[in-house]
Amino acid sequence: MHLSLNHPVIREKLGLPDKAAPVPTATHGVTDAPEEETQVDLTRKQRKVPVHQLSPQELLANPEYVRALVVMGQTLLQNGDLADATEYLERAITKLFLIGHPTKVEEVDLLILASQWAGVAYIRQGRHAEGIKHLERVANLKEPKDLKSKAHYYDAFVLLASALYGEGRKDEAAKYLRMAVAYNPANQVYLEQYEKGEETNFDGDLVNGRRRGDY
């Protein structure tokens, strides 16, 4: 966990300052606080702590930083650390559902990303049923209106098609691929591979970030 948050790429994605750069020391005036200060007051003050002053544990425990879990999950997936990637991504999904079904644009986008990468991580571990379940979660969502989220949404369709094809569910795979092609004609190459009976392991480009949008 510490190594992940110390990685400069991840720190940049999370908006954290460069650890090599000096961090200015804030000077606070000293005032007498009333002895009867409530826990609510203390909690409000805690929420004002700048992001860069949070420990890794505090950062990852805060529901506002689900993005950190998703970023680290995909990074671990790219590095082949499948078990840890799965753990981070499952934690992100759990946090997103803590207060009900995600509805805000950012929450929906994070759910799509966490679900598709969790699906890939499970499938690469040979746990196909669990992987397909995560990818089908995305397919069962309503198409997002946000352009970035929509691109991620149809990326998941390509991944789901690949997984279904590998399980012999070819008609379902073709259905999702055609929907992905209708959204983005660039996906036609995957449909052509499928129709020619060629190997349909489509996840490499997506996992490695060639077509992944910024978080």
Side-chain angles (χ1 to χ4, degrees), residues 9-201:
V9 174
I10 292 179
R11 295 186 70 83
E12 180 181 356
K13 285 181 178 293
L14 296 178
L16 299 176
D18 186 347
K19 293 197 74 177
V23 178
T25 302
T27 303
H28 300 283
V30 178
T31 57
D32 294 328
E35 293 182 1
E36 66 270 20
E37 188 172 34
T38 66
Q39 183 62 42
V40 174
D41 294 328
L42 292 172
T43 302
R44 286 173 180 165
K45 289 183 178 180
Q46 289 170 355
R47 282 202 290 260
K48 295 178 181 179
V49 176
V51 173
H52 68 267
Q53 292 182 14
L54 294 175
S55 69
Q57 291 81 3
E58 290 170 327
L59 180 63
L60 296 178
N62 192 322
E64 295 180 9
Y65 297 104
V66 175
R67 181 163 54 108
L69 296 172
V70 178
V71 171
M72 284 189 286
Q74 189 185 358
T75 300
L76 290 164
L77 176 60
Q78 289 171 331
N79 292 337
D81 194 343
L82 302 178
D84 284 345
T86 302
E87 180 182 351
Y88 278 110
L89 294 165
E90 286 282 18
R91 287 173 63 191
I93 293 167
T94 298
K95 286 181 179 295
L96 285 165
F97 280 112
L98 279 178
I99 55 175
H101 199 285
T103 56
K104 296 180 180 179
V105 171
E106 183 178 6
E107 292 174 348
V108 171
D109 192 46
L110 289 171
L111 177 62
I112 291 171
L113 290 167
S115 296
Q116 69 182 32
W117 302 137
V120 172
Y122 275 119
I123 290 168
R124 288 187 176 183
Q125 294 174 79
R127 300 164 67 177
H128 296 273
E130 291 167 279
I132 289 174
K133 181 179 178 180
H134 279 290
L135 294 168
E136 287 180 331
R137 178 189 298 117
V138 180
N140 290 330
L141 294 174
K142 183 179 179 180
E143 180 186 83
K145 294 182 180 180
D146 177 74
L147 294 180
K148 183 176 69 173
S149 300
K150 187 180 293 187
H152 294 155
Y153 176 76
Y154 282 105
D155 280 348
F157 278 40
V158 174
L159 296 169
L160 176 57
S162 177
L164 292 172
Y165 186 85
E167 294 294 295
R169 297 162 62 178
K170 297 182 180 180
D171 290 342
E172 291 177 82
K175 178 186 75 172
Y176 286 112
L177 273 180
R178 292 189 179 104
M179 293 171 70
V181 170
Y183 165 71
N184 182 0
N187 290 319
Q188 180 68 33
V189 62
Y190 301 126
L191 182 59
E192 290 175 356
Q193 290 177 20
Y194 162 80
E195 291 173 340
K196 292 177 181 178
E198 298 176 357
E199 184 178 355
T200 56
N201 182 18

